[in-house]
Amino acid sequence: TAGRSTAIGPGIIGTDFSARKITAITERVKTEFRAEFFNAANHPNFSFPNRNHGDTNFGRVTDTADPRIIQFGLKLVF
């Protein structure tokens, strides 16, 4: 007898961060270094509870989103 979307899951906290540094080698040649952090605080973001009534995991949160991901990039501009 419950209505639609009555099961509410935990909230999502997303903190992304990026930084870059441009260094001139000569007048015409430069390098760009980039660092990008996704989920920088490494906060666990849990998925929604299982909504299948016939399942043994009904109402349980069994999955999380991606952990912290860091990527670096280096570009030569000429």
Side-chain angles (χ1 to χ4, degrees):
T1 61
R4 183 176 179 195
S5 299
T6 55
I8 299 173
I12 296 175
I13 298 175
T15 307
D16 298 339
F17 175 75
S18 68
R20 71 178 186 167
K21 169 74 175 163
I22 298 174
T23 306
I25 297 175
T26 64
E27 264 186 47
R28 298 180 62 201
V29 179
K30 298 178 179 104
T31 60
E32 178 183 348
F33 175 74
R34 253 188 356 253
E36 298 170 344
F37 301 86
F38 302 100
N39 192 9
N42 205 21
H43 184 274
N45 290 316
F46 298 104
S47 64
F48 291 109
N50 189 343
R51 297 180 189 167
N52 296 330
H53 292 288
D55 195 355
T56 57
N57 287 328
F58 175 72
R60 292 185 184 170
V61 176
T62 58
D63 197 18
T64 60
D66 290 333
R68 179 186 303 142
I69 297 173
I70 303 171
Q71 67 183 22
F72 298 105
L74 182 65
K75 180 168 52 171
L76 180 66
V77 181
F78 56 93

